[in-house]
Amino acid sequence: MNSTDNKQPLLDNISKIHTTPMGADRIRKNLSLGDVDAVEWCKSRILDAAASIVRQGKNWYVTVDGCVITVNASSYTIITAHPLAM
């Protein structure tokens, strides 16, 4: 399943988005975020009007601000986030 036209389920469930402590550490490290709340940082990027949101299989991929955020579509767990490959 590849859907670029229905990002609404992810946006409707923004309050369910979370990650594990290890996931938050990985996101901060990958994106050099320093000491910020990784989940809130990701949520704000997901809600950004410029974000490109695509569902592929079991994950959502959010591309915005030079990075890609991967979110599991059923649990709303942020799996990882990393800079876009140049």
Side-chain angles (χ1 to χ4, degrees):
M1 178 180 164
N2 183 354
S3 173
T4 57
D5 57 348
N6 192 7
K7 61 186 177 182
Q8 206 57 48
L10 180 61
L11 299 177
D12 288 347
N13 289 286
I14 195 79
S15 65
K16 295 181 183 177
I17 292 178
H18 65 282
T19 194
T20 63
M22 282 179 50
D25 289 342
R26 182 171 50 247
I27 292 162
R28 282 191 290 270
K29 179 181 173 220
N30 289 351
L31 297 176
S32 303
L33 295 179
D35 191 25
V36 301
D37 184 325
V39 172
E40 290 305 315
W41 188 91
C42 288
K43 284 182 180 181
S44 71
R45 296 317 179 275
I46 292 166
L47 292 171
D48 189 312
S52 167
I53 301 173
V54 177
R55 179 163 176 182
Q56 287 185 294
K58 64 181 183 174
N59 294 326
W60 292 98
Y61 296 92
V62 182
T63 306
V64 64
D65 289 344
C67 70
V68 179
I69 302 165
T70 306
V71 180
N72 180 278
S74 59
S75 68
Y76 297 101
T77 303
I78 303 167
I79 299 165
T80 191
H82 54 82
L84 275 174
M86 296 293 168

